[in-house]
């Protein structure tokens, strides 16, 4: 220090900074304690009581049953069964295609009242030639024909 003028305060400043740093580092050092180490928690096993005096396997079982029931309910509601074979997949495809064609055909069919009323036809019910006559109808027709013949003779 004798060789340089003004070096004394610089050394003093450096020494003070070094002292502050060492004090900070010394404060971070952990001093060993004489207290016994904290005991480790017991390992988690299936017989560990979780809550409400229920063991861990009780809780896992109840939760898995709940989730399974939700999945089954959703599958039943939305009918989401996965087909297992190629034949089932093709059969479902053909079934959907046939159903779509059927609904498309139904949209082209006119309403029933348009089918039953034919323009220019008498309002009297005409006998269909395709219908099969019963014995009672034939007897009534024969009686009418005989009555007309008798009126014609008089």
């Amino acid at each position: 220090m004798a060789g340089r003028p003004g070096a004394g305060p610089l050394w003093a400043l450096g020494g003070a900074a070094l002292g502050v740093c060492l004090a900070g580092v010394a404060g971070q050092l952990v001093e060993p304690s004489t207290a016994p180490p904290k005991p480790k928690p017991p390992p988690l096993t299936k017989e560990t009581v979780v809550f409400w005096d229920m063991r861990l396997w009780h809780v896992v079982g109840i939760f898995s049953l709940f989730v399974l029931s939700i999945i089954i309910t959703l599958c039943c509601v939305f009918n989401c069964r996965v087909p297992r074979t190629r034949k089932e997949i093709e059969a479902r495809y053909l079934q959907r295609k046939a159903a779509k064609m059927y609904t498309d055909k139904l949209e082209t069919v006119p309403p029933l009242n348009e089918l039953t009323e034919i323009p220019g036809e008498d309002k009297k019910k005409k006998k269909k030639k395709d219908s099969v006559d019963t014995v009672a109808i034939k007897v009534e027709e024969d009686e009418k024909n005989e009555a007309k013949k008798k009126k014609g003779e008089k």
Side-chain angles (χ1 to χ4, degrees):
M1 284 199 221
R4 290 190 201 178
L10 187 59
W11 276 100
L13 185 60
L18 184 63
V20 170
C21 287
L22 287 178
V25 170
Q28 292 179 0
L29 292 177
V30 177
E31 293 186 23
S33 66
T34 56
K38 293 180 182 178
K40 291 182 179 178
L44 190 62
T45 63
K46 64 181 177 183
E47 293 299 322
T48 304
V49 176
V50 181
F51 54 88
W52 296 333
D53 287 337
M54 292 191 335
R55 308 245 187 259
L56 181 64
W57 67 273
H58 292 145
V59 174
V60 169
I62 290 171
F63 180 75
S64 60
L65 284 175
F66 178 72
V67 169
L68 185 65
S69 66
I70 289 175
I71 291 172
I72 289 172
T73 303
L74 290 175
C75 288
C76 289
V77 167
F78 295 113
N79 193 17
C80 59
R81 183 183 161 276
V82 178
R84 296 188 180 138
T85 64
R86 183 175 177 169
K87 284 184 178 181
E88 288 182 8
I89 294 170
E90 290 173 352
R92 280 200 174 174
Y93 170 74
L94 292 174
Q95 187 179 21
R96 287 186 183 128
K97 188 176 177 183
K100 183 171 178 9
M101 286 174 47
Y102 179 73
T103 55
D104 290 344
K105 289 276 187 185
L106 278 180
E107 289 175 0
T108 62
V109 174
L112 184 61
N113 59 1
E114 292 179 13
L115 291 176
T116 55
E117 293 180 17
I118 299 174
E121 185 180 6
D122 293 341
K123 295 292 180 181
K124 296 178 184 177
K125 292 182 181 177
K126 291 191 176 182
K127 186 171 128 181
K128 294 181 182 177
K129 294 182 179 180
D130 297 340
S131 66
V132 177
D133 291 338
T134 60
V135 176
I137 293 174
K138 286 185 178 182
V139 169
E140 288 177 11
E141 288 178 358
D142 290 340
E143 289 175 356
K144 288 179 184 178
N145 289 338
E146 287 178 15
K148 285 182 184 178
K149 285 183 184 177
K150 286 183 182 177
K151 285 184 183 179
E153 291 178 2
K154 292 183 181 179

